Amino acid sequence: MAKTVLVVEDEQSLNNAITIKLKKRGYNVFSVTTAEEAIPILEKENIDFIWLDILLPGMTGLEFLGIIRKKPLLKDIKTAIVSVSGSFGVKEEAKKLGAVDYIVKSEYKLDDIIDRVTPQINGK
């Protein structure tokens, strides 16, 4: 059975590219541009993995991660932060909130980021 990924990325063209590439690899994908849109999806769908940007309009990615970590049915969903922001403090906060990875977008090509998160999506 295919794993399901929730992409939370506000840059629409990047969101579309991530979604297309993940679908080509056989994943089911839900994509949204705000954290506020992501919460109802998490409550209705069986999400295996969250691809999360930090700098989002409205609620930030870290605020979102803090909220879902407090919800018993959502707290264990693996989440990778993929963001342009890579300060030490933000990385540490993400780690405290249980992010399985923190990837700075500008340091990798999109295909390389997908290669890096694929084992995490698959539970390896």
Side-chain angles (χ1 to χ4, degrees), residues 6 20 93:
L6 173 60
I20 290 166
E93 182 66 21

Side-chain angles (χ1 to χ4, degrees), residues 22-23 32 36-37 43-44 69 77 84 94 101 108 119:
L22 288 172
K23 284 182 176 181
V32 296
E36 289 85 353
E37 294 172 298
E43 292 172 343
K44 291 178 190 162
R69 291 300 184 237
I77 298 173
V84 295
D101 204 349
Y108 300 92

Side-chain angles (χ1 to χ4, degrees), residues 8-11 33 52-62 81-86 90 102 105:
V8 187
E9 166 61 58
D10 65 319
E11 187 183 320
T33 56
L52 180 63
D53 190 9
I54 292 285
L55 303 174
L56 297 167
M59 183 188 314
T60 70
L62 288 179
I81 305 294
V82 185
S83 184
V84 295
S85 173
V90 172
Y102 195 110
K105 293 177 195 175

